Amino acid sequence: MDGSITSDIRALVEPDRVHRKCYTDPEIFALEMQNIHENTWIYVGHESQVKNPGDYYTTLVGRQPMVMVRAKDGKVHVLYNRCPHRGALLCPDRHGNTGQTFKCSYHAWRFNLDGSLLKVPVVEQYEGTRFDLSDKQFHMKPAERTESYRGFVFCKLSHGGPDLKTHLSGAIRAFDDMCDRAPEGEVEVVPTCFRMIQKSNWKIFLENQLDAVHPSITHESSGRAAREVEQDIEKRTGKKAPLSYHYISAFTEPFFRWDTLNTMGFPNGHCTLEGYMGLRPRDPDTLEYEAAMEKHYGKKRAEEILGVNLHHVLVYPCLSVQSPLQQLRAVRPISHDRTLTEIWHFRLKGAPEAIYRRSLDYYYLVNAPSTMINADDLDNFWRCHTGLSSEGGDWVSFHRNAGQDPHKDGVYTSVTGMSELPMRHMMKAWTEYMTQGARR
Ligand code: FES
Ligand SMILES: [Fe+2]
């Protein structure tokens, strides 16, 4: 890149199209990590991943190896997974229990669970040096800020900016909808997640999540096969087929049905896709669940919660959440052309086991790496990234319903369910993050 970085970035994003460099340039990727992923609130994990003191879970925030740990007082900390002595990773494993302290396997420096330095071997040999046990530079470095909303832990590696709730704005519904659907108002993670490396830029994944045109095209053959079986079951038995068939057959809905969905864009790049997911069949399991909801919330409030029509929420730039089925996918960019996604699902506390099975069915049929649906999407991601890396053209088109996005107080609504509003909205936020610089 040449010229000023700000004008270079601005030249890549137009209201209805985006230059391919945004996806394929390693320098842009490095700037994204610095100005976006290591600058704003990023999802680390759920508190139930670290239930007991000493439990830890490692992950990436931007390019930084981080560890989420439960301390003895119950508080959850997010720390850099780095020993301040000579830099070794303190927790090489993905998760586990570290006991009362973190102990570095290289020279046995020991740290309390809040990251403070506890003990150093042969400490007398440091006498007369600039080393000081209480000096923070010799402690594990914490994330600049850590906050949790309804059990979902986020960290921010830069200082300043809004608190988590303010940052989430309209995307906060993802966590409210998921937790409210639990009779006890909380969810619990199901250990562990699938991890998948996608051969494409991270933004291609996020853009696909609210792309309501592609399902009936990309997933047409899977959806049609499921619909044929579903119809056959209904013809033979005279009863509705199990909901799990609907999860896949729904992909064959014609355009006019997808067009009834409603997409919105919120401050900081978050987007939602609203639509009815058909999760209230009148089978005994659903009726038992609805009775549990009524018992905990009362009829009116239970009806309000069960009536929420939210299909998908993008928490920019790090999460794709499907709250009605208790799933989320966390985005961990690896390089400009490699993206790790973690695919998690949750249990609703206080709900019958059958409702958990419903979430598990969706996980295995739609979101897991081995599903036909996910395989179709992965193929698209790889094909887009490969084509964008070529010299066959410079621009990505986001023209569908461009220039027609009504907005008020920073909230955008789409004029059609299949509008490319979410893509335009995310890239507008991207430009702001990229040109405002990092606060580190
Ligand atoms: S690198 Fe950790 S104690 Fe030496
Ligand atoms: Fe898809």
Side-chain angles (χ1 to χ4, degrees):
M1 289 183 13
D2 40 28
S4 98
I5 288 187
T6 301
S7 58
D8 282 347
I9 294 288
R10 290 203 184 281
L12 299 175
V13 181
E14 297 182 3
D16 52 8
R17 64 177 192 170
V18 168
H19 197 278
R20 69 185 180 95
K21 263 190 169 183
C22 298
Y23 303 84
T24 58
D25 185 332
E27 270 188 66
I28 298 254
F29 178 80
L31 207 60
E32 286 177 328
M33 294 303 100
Q34 184 186 304
N35 289 4
I36 305 179
H37 290 261
E38 295 169 10
N39 195 31
T40 189
W41 288 103
I42 298 293
Y43 180 65
V44 179
H46 192 264
E47 286 177 12
S48 58
Q49 284 169 244
V50 289
K51 272 191 186 157
N52 304 306
D55 283 356
Y56 69 86
Y57 226 101
T58 61
T59 194
L60 275 177
V61 172
R63 297 158 296 188
Q64 311 304 320
M66 305 301 289
V67 54
M68 172 172 74
V69 60
R70 174 87 62 179
K72 282 184 212 155
D73 62 359
K75 198 170 166 205
V76 173
H77 297 269
V78 178
L79 309 165
Y80 285 78
N81 183 11
R82 174 196 187 273
C83 178
H85 179 216
R86 299 256 287 275
L89 286 181
L90 279 161
C91 304
D93 295 336
R94 193 156 286 145
H95 61 98
N97 185 288
T98 187
Q100 307 275 321
T101 58
F102 289 110
K103 180 176 165 192
C104 183
S105 60
Y106 200 177
H107 313 95
W109 283 27
R110 281 170 63 187
F111 304 86
N112 293 309
L113 298 175
D114 62 1
S116 55
L117 180 59
L118 177 67
K119 250 188 185 158
V120 170
V122 286
V123 72
E124 64 282 1
Q125 295 183 0
Y126 285 94
E127 268 171 35
T129 74
R130 293 200 293 164
F131 173 83
D132 175 356
L133 212 61
S134 63
D135 185 338
K136 289 268 191 294
Q137 70 169 299
F138 302 111
H139 299 202
M140 290 170 76
K141 184 179 172 182
E144 189 69 30
R145 295 164 76 182
T146 299
E147 284 184 33
S148 164
Y149 183 72
R150 299 194 74 165
F152 295 85
V153 180
F154 286 72
C155 80
K156 189 172 188 298
L157 301 185
S158 68
H159 63 82
D163 61 19
L164 176 62
K165 269 176 90 169
T166 310
H167 164 77
L168 289 172
S169 65
I172 209 159
R173 292 180 69 202
F175 309 110
D176 286 334
D177 183 46
M178 200 191 292
C179 296
D180 288 348
R181 283 173 184 272
E184 293 175 18
E186 282 180 9
V187 295
E188 184 168 32
V189 79
V190 179
T192 183
C193 70
F194 281 118
R195 283 184 165 71
M196 194 167 70
I197 300 273
Q198 303 175 181
K199 293 180 181 169
S200 53
N201 185 267
W202 62 276
K203 298 187 291 300
I204 293 177
F205 170 78
L206 285 181
E207 285 160 6
N208 180 68
Q209 300 312 300
L210 299 197
D211 181 326
V213 169
H214 90 282
S216 56
I217 300 164
T218 293
H219 307 303
E220 193 263 345
S221 57
S222 310
R224 190 156 37 82
R227 175 142 293 173
E228 280 169 17
V229 180
E230 188 180 32
Q231 285 171 343
D232 183 54
I233 291 173
E234 292 179 356
K235 204 161 122 202
R236 279 189 292 108
T237 65
K239 291 188 195 145
K240 272 203 99 46
L243 197 55
S244 49
Y245 289 94
H246 170 71
Y247 294 154
I248 302 188
S249 67
F251 284 97
T252 56
E253 296 284 7
F255 278 165
F256 75 86
R257 293 290 291 274
W258 291 102
D259 225 11
T260 61
L261 302 178
N262 180 28
T263 54
M264 293 177 81
F266 294 92
N268 306 319
H270 314 304
C271 300
T272 56
L273 176 67
E274 286 180 29
Y276 179 53
M277 290 189 80
L279 296 178
R280 300 186 69 184
R282 303 289 80 198
D283 63 287
D285 295 330
T286 308
L287 295 177
E288 186 192 342
Y289 164 59
E290 293 190 1
M293 289 291 283
E294 277 184 27
K295 189 165 164 238
H296 280 80
Y297 289 105
K299 198 168 175 49
K300 186 165 172 279
R301 178 70 187 129
E303 201 50 47
E304 270 170 22
I305 294 167
L306 295 169
V308 170
N309 288 336
L310 199 54
H311 192 283
H312 222 125
V313 179
L314 292 187
V315 180
Y316 193 81
C318 58
L319 282 182
S320 150
V321 188
Q322 283 177 287
S323 49
L325 284 155
Q326 301 90 51
Q327 332 257 316
L328 67 77
R329 282 176 274 183
V331 179
R332 314 279 182 204
I334 306 289
S335 62
H336 67 285
D337 60 356
R338 290 286 184 281
T339 304
L340 168 70
T341 50
E342 297 172 359
I343 313 163
W344 293 96
H345 72 301
F346 297 82
R347 278 176 190 272
L348 298 173
K349 281 194 178 174
E353 182 66 9
I355 297 303
Y356 165 65
R357 305 295 307 182
R358 191 159 93 173
S359 169
L360 184 64
D361 284 347
Y362 194 82
Y363 189 70
Y364 279 139
L365 290 169
V366 177
N367 282 338
S370 57
T371 68
M372 288 180 289
I373 303 298
N374 211 340
D376 292 338
D377 286 328
L378 284 175
D379 185 54
N380 276 347
F381 302 162
W382 167 74
R383 289 209 265 166
C384 283
H385 197 95
T386 305
L388 290 176
S389 307
S390 77
E391 290 178 8
D394 277 341
W395 295 94
V396 172
S397 157
F398 293 145
H399 291 84
R400 206 162 56 239
N401 296 115
Q404 305 165 28
D405 309 327
H407 57 98
K408 195 171 174 230
D409 303 328
V411 178
Y412 288 72
T413 45
S414 60
V415 289
T416 69
M418 297 193 296
S419 169
E420 281 171 330
L421 160 81
M423 297 76 175
R424 290 188 289 272
H425 188 72
M426 283 190 278
M427 285 312 294
K428 197 160 161 285
W430 182 90
T431 313
E432 283 163 21
Y433 282 114
M434 291 288 274
T435 54
Q436 276 165 9
R439 297 164 184 262
R440 304 184 79 196

